[in-house]
Amino acid sequence: ATRNFYGSQINSFSAKIEIEHFDAPFNVDFIRAPRLEPLPRTNSTVQVLARHDGRTIMLQQGHLLASAFHI
C-alpha cells in the first residue's frame, strides 16, 4: 500500500460507496488513506469488495478485510 495516497489530513474527504454483499451504500471517510495496490499476480482468494473512482478501496481474503477508508 502507498501511505497517504489520498493526501494529508487536510485533503481528507467523504464519499458514498457501494460495498459487495450490502444493500445500501455507506458514507465513508478517506483520512490519510493508503492506496491498495494490485499484486502482479491476482490471488483468486482475494475479492474486491468496493471501488471508488476506478480504484480498489476494499479487499477481502477469508475473514480478513483491508480498506482505504473509515466508516
Side-chain angles (χ1 to χ4, degrees):
T2 302
R3 184 182 161 119
N4 296 339
F5 176 78
Y6 292 94
S8 66
Q9 188 162 353
I10 201 166
N11 301 111
S12 299
F13 65 95
S14 297
K16 186 176 277 194
I17 64 164
E18 300 281 335
I19 299 176
E20 288 287 322
H21 311 296
F22 289 91
D23 295 331
F26 286 83
N27 290 314
V28 301
D29 299 307
F30 291 84
I31 303 169
R32 294 189 315 266
R35 175 180 174 201
L36 300 177
E37 298 175 359
L39 299 172
R41 293 186 338 191
T42 303
N43 185 330
S44 63
T45 65
V46 176
Q47 180 183 10
V48 175
L49 297 181
R51 296 181 192 275
H52 181 263
D53 288 341
R55 292 192 171 95
T56 298
I57 58 169
M58 187 172 194
L59 299 169
Q60 178 180 8
Q61 184 177 28
H63 66 281
L64 301 174
L65 296 172
S67 70
F69 57 84
H70 301 273
I71 292 181

